[in-house]
Amino acid sequence: MFFKISPDEIEEVSLLRRAETAHFVKAAEVICQFHQRDDYQSGRHLTKENKDLLHVNHYRIESKLNSSFSGNLNFSACAEVEFNALQPEQSWIYFYLFSDMEVDSVMWSTGEQASFFKEKENPYLWVHCQPALARDETRKLKLYYRGDLIENDGGWMVIKSSLGWYPLHGNRTYATFDLTFHTPKRMTFVSVGDNISSAVQDEVLSTRWVTPEPIRNASFNIGYFKKHEITDERTVPVTVLMAESGHQQIGQSLARQGILSGKSMEKQVGQDVANSLVFFSHLFGKPKIKHFYATETPISHGLAFPGLIHLAWSTFQATDDEGYDQIFRAHEVAHQWWGIGVDFETYHDQWLSEGFASFAGLWYMQIALRDNKKYFDRLKDWRDEIFSNRKFLFGSGQQAGPISLGYRTSTSTTAGDYGLIIYKKGAWVLHMLRNMLLDYLTMKEEVFTNILQEFYQTYRGQKASTLDFQKIVEKQAGKDMSWFFQQWVHATGIPEYRFAHKLEQTPQGKWVAHCKIEQRNVPDDFQMPVLVRIDFGQERFARTRVVVRGPLTRVDLPLMPMKPEKIVFNDLESVLCEVKNEKWVE
Ligand SMILES: [Zn+2]
């Protein structure tokens, strides 16, 4: 183990260990990481620290994609990059570019050649600044580069790096883009921003895309697509692009295994895309886009950019019966609000993007399929995954970290925890809030929807932290909620409840339920309101909330006019927990 102190990092101090990898691979990984002491003492707003060396304001990129004999697309580009220096006296600056790109030349806006250095298969492009860049100085570079970016895999166009096609610097910064692409006419091409012109000449389609305001990442998609257009006055026009020919091949091989492919998949996908856009616009507020493209990619996951999403090929093959496809499609759509609309401040806050998008996807599925059971079934699946992961604690593995650890929850010994904790436990946190704020008498959930609306409206176009979200929750709920965020976002405890009850008739003929709840596996001050349903049979029931706090809670439920048949502890999955019903022991 060793300490590393690096003034260039936002969290300067880290403790590292050797990652558990194959013997011939030597890699270090972070155990824990902090700011330097001065940062804490000065009380600076730690999350707003910026250690980038420069900030790119604007890109003007002209790209050409030509078919080669192999069927791949040759990519070449001229990128004009306008940037500000954030640090003094810089004689070398660097950009990140997809490692297979070759740089032909780099020029200053004065027309002067710049010296540069880029190793083959190394993503860093170094540019020499002479004279050295002064702090706050603005300069413009023109870079010519090309590379093997897009591969034709049996008719599927595989973009090998969805971000590395233009020179990037810094940690998730914002810039405006003016993009022109020259692409083969017989292929369909889409990008981000407003499509302000399209023209065809000599078998070449030239399109120009301009972002009306700064965005984090620009991307595009290209392929032999079948197009499906949807107009719905409740939302922006939607274009679905499906790589049809690829599916016919896959469909045939799946059919040989007895797996059926869906019909008119572009319409099935399009329906979820358009309906989730309508649903989320209604719930959270209008997104800042004029058009929405949902495009297919041969990769196995999704990616979201402003007004453009890439969806995995599998969701275009068939729609499953369990609601996973609705969740997946709506998750990527939801990033227009969570992740893009409201960006997250640091990696500690990434659940505000992925946890929120996962929850929004789940919520959409519940509404679209009108299926509460599937909503709870998927939540239970996620809970089971979280629990089976924690069981490693008693084996050789290590328990999962908290949500606020972000990507660092995944290490060589806890691979997969990022998806589990940030996405799935993150979604559970929102579900628990939804449940706690539910008016169980009227089943209205205005407080919860007001929170999401206010959070979106307040932080749209900005970066938000968990604390920013907590403050809005507290304002709308009208009470302190720090304990909730401490328990569920910043800590790892997940309770086990052992519930026992005893019914007793009062002299007046009413019924009372004495309840005893043992709380395990969490710190003694752990507390949660748990929803309880009292069943009287024949679909008659009542609900109440019981606050469980500490190792043992004893509580009497409100007096009941008749004898209940059953008492359900943790109704509507109100808490991420394990419940064991036990016999009453005096
Ligand atoms: Zn996502």
Side-chain angles (χ1 to χ4, degrees):
M1 285 198 288
F2 62 98
F3 276 106
K4 184 179 86 176
I5 296 165
S6 163
D8 294 338
E9 286 185 60
I10 290 175
E11 292 174 326
E12 296 89 348
V13 185
S14 46
L15 176 64
L16 297 105
R17 68 174 176 196
R18 187 175 166 181
E20 282 186 25
T21 50
H23 281 304
F24 50 88
V25 182
K26 285 201 172 70
E29 70 183 5
V30 172
I31 299 170
C32 50
Q33 189 163 8
F34 305 97
H35 291 278
Q36 61 194 7
R37 194 172 55 187
D38 281 7
D39 285 349
Y40 293 106
Q41 284 174 343
S42 68
R44 259 172 278 171
H45 193 332
L46 297 176
T47 60
K48 299 258 194 269
E49 270 191 289
N50 187 354
K51 296 273 176 95
D52 291 340
L53 302 176
L54 44 99
H55 176 259
V56 177
N57 309 311
H58 184 67
Y59 290 96
R60 204 177 115 100
I61 307 174
E62 187 156 359
S63 311
K64 276 194 197 117
L65 293 137
N66 297 325
S67 297
S68 68
F69 287 117
S70 61
N72 292 355
L73 289 172
N74 290 328
F75 175 89
S76 62
C78 166
E80 283 177 48
V81 183
E82 188 195 289
F83 57 90
N84 276 338
L86 301 178
Q87 305 289 340
E89 284 296 301
Q90 300 183 61
S91 41
W92 284 92
I93 56 173
Y94 69 87
F95 295 94
Y96 171 88
L97 198 59
F98 177 50
S99 49
D100 287 1
M101 292 288 188
E102 280 183 55
V103 179
D104 293 322
S105 75
V106 180
M107 268 162 52
W108 295 105
S109 53
T110 54
E112 221 177 312
Q113 293 284 338
S115 327
F116 65 93
F117 173 75
K118 185 179 181 295
E119 233 175 8
K120 248 197 167 150
E121 284 163 39
N122 183 313
Y124 289 99
L125 163 68
W126 290 89
V127 179
H128 190 213
C129 301
Q130 187 132 56
L133 258 181
R135 191 199 286 268
D136 295 331
E137 192 186 337
T138 302
R139 282 195 204 175
K140 218 189 236 180
L141 275 176
K142 204 177 209 178
L143 306 101
Y144 292 87
Y145 55 97
R146 65 200 147 76
D148 191 9
L149 180 70
I150 299 164
E151 203 177 308
N152 184 341
D153 184 3
W156 302 76
M157 305 314 287
V158 186
I159 302 171
K160 291 195 234 163
S161 171
S162 57
L163 287 182
W165 65 278
Y166 62 92
L168 281 163
H169 181 95
N171 181 30
R172 305 166 47 236
T173 58
Y174 282 71
T176 47
F177 291 81
D178 181 341
L179 307 169
T180 303
F181 296 89
H182 305 289
T183 53
K185 190 190 93 180
R186 61 207 149 77
M187 301 175 93
T188 308
F189 180 88
V190 289
S191 187
V192 294
D194 299 337
N195 181 198
I196 60 165
S197 70
S198 292
V200 177
Q201 201 186 2
D202 301 333
E203 299 298 304
V204 174
L205 168 69
S206 297
T207 53
R208 189 167 163 212
W209 307 76
V210 176
T211 59
E213 51 188 59
I215 63 169
R216 175 138 62 89
N217 299 128
S219 187
F220 61 84
N221 204 355
I222 184 166
Y224 299 99
F225 291 122
K226 181 178 184 185
K227 201 183 262 187
H228 174 53
E229 310 265 13
I230 302 166
T231 41
D232 180 329
E233 79 252 1
R234 296 168 299 168
T235 188
V236 296
V238 173
T239 305
V240 181
L241 298 177
M242 178 173 82
E244 199 183 25
S245 55
H247 283 287
Q248 282 160 356
Q249 282 181 20
I250 293 177
Q252 282 159 10
S253 63
L254 286 174
R256 280 194 287 275
Q257 299 165 45
I259 301 166
L260 291 179
S261 301
K263 291 215 165 57
S264 307
M265 285 310 297
E266 73 283 4
K267 289 186 184 145
Q268 293 193 30
V269 173
Q271 193 183 4
D272 282 326
V273 169
N275 288 345
S276 58
L277 276 170
V278 172
F279 180 58
F280 298 147
S281 302
H282 170 74
L283 275 179
F284 313 136
K286 287 241 163 347
K288 274 190 175 176
I289 44 171
K290 296 196 183 85
H291 197 114
F292 195 78
Y293 295 97
T295 71
E296 178 173 358
T297 75
I299 54 174
S300 58
H301 56 269
L303 283 171
F305 303 93
L308 168 70
I309 54 171
H310 299 328
L311 292 173
W313 67 272
S314 51
T315 204
F316 284 89
Q317 195 63 41
T319 302
D320 76 307
D321 294 329
E322 307 302 325
Y324 285 113
D325 280 297
Q326 280 82 9
I327 296 174
F328 170 67
R329 295 164 191 164
H331 171 119
E332 295 307 329
V333 172
H335 277 310
Q336 298 302 314
W337 286 265
W338 313 120
I340 295 170
V342 178
D343 201 353
F344 55 94
E345 189 90 66
T346 74
Y347 71 88
H348 296 290
D349 311 303
Q350 196 157 1
W351 77 286
L352 301 177
S353 167
E354 297 301 353
F356 275 50
S358 299
F359 174 76
L362 180 68
W363 197 359
Y364 166 75
M365 183 274 278
Q366 179 190 21
I367 301 301
L369 301 182
R370 293 198 188 91
D371 195 330
N372 291 343
K373 186 178 177 296
K374 275 194 186 121
Y375 173 88
F376 289 113
D377 283 350
R378 297 294 76 77
L379 268 176
K380 286 182 209 162
D381 289 348
W382 293 350
R383 179 188 60 201
D384 292 348
E385 285 177 51
I386 293 165
F387 269 105
S388 59
N389 175 285
R390 284 176 55 80
K391 298 252 156 71
F392 283 115
L393 181 59
F394 309 106
S396 59
Q398 188 184 330
Q399 73 163 303
I403 288 174
S404 60
L405 209 53
Y407 73 92
R408 281 177 43 209
T409 48
S410 281
T411 66
S412 60
T413 50
T414 58
D417 275 11
Y418 173 67
L420 185 66
I421 298 302
I422 310 311
Y423 287 60
K424 293 171 183 171
K425 191 182 170 196
W428 255 101
V429 168
L430 282 183
H431 164 74
M432 287 192 279
L433 264 182
R434 180 188 188 187
N435 204 304
M436 278 167 65
L437 300 168
L438 170 76
D439 179 342
Y440 56 78
L441 294 176
T442 60
M443 294 308 271
K444 285 199 171 141
E445 28 193 7
E446 275 145 14
V447 183
F448 181 63
T449 50
N450 287 346
I451 285 170
L452 295 175
Q453 238 164 56
E454 187 180 340
F455 186 48
Y456 177 65
Q457 309 288 353
T458 309
Y459 290 99
R460 181 167 56 181
Q462 295 177 52
K463 291 179 177 174
S465 67
T466 300
L467 187 61
D468 294 330
F469 178 60
Q470 182 188 320
K471 283 182 182 157
I472 287 179
V473 173
E474 289 178 332
K475 187 184 144 196
Q476 291 283 352
K479 56 187 172 200
D480 170 61
M481 294 290 284
S482 53
W483 57 274
F484 177 82
F485 287 89
Q486 178 53 39
Q487 287 176 180
W488 293 107
V489 180
H490 304 299
T492 56
I494 298 176
E496 176 191 307
Y497 297 127
R498 300 195 173 198
F499 175 75
H501 74 280
K502 186 179 75 172
L503 293 170
E504 204 174 9
Q505 196 166 24
T506 66
Q508 291 76 26
K510 299 207 167 172
W511 289 86
V512 65
H514 306 291
C515 301
K516 214 156 60 173
I517 306 118
E518 259 185 70
Q519 177 179 274
R520 300 188 178 195
N521 299 340
V522 284
D524 280 355
D525 60 353
F526 196 95
Q527 53 169 321
M528 268 309 272
V530 183
L531 199 61
V532 176
R533 191 177 76 228
I534 306 140
D535 264 323
F536 300 105
Q538 295 171 333
E539 310 231 331
R540 288 169 305 176
F541 63 90
R543 284 193 172 110
T544 185
R545 276 198 186 96
V546 169
V547 176
V548 178
R549 186 185 288 124
L552 182 65
T553 301
R554 284 170 177 277
V555 65
D556 288 349
L557 299 188
L559 283 180
M560 296 166 279
M562 59 187 122
K563 190 179 181 184
E565 276 187 2
K566 199 168 105 187
I567 292 180
V568 181
F569 186 75
N570 197 32
D571 191 29
L572 304 180
E573 304 298 326
S574 64
V575 180
L576 171 59
C577 65
E578 223 167 359
V579 176
K580 290 190 173 145
N581 288 296
E582 297 199 325
K583 274 221 170 73
W584 180 273
V585 184
E586 289 299 338

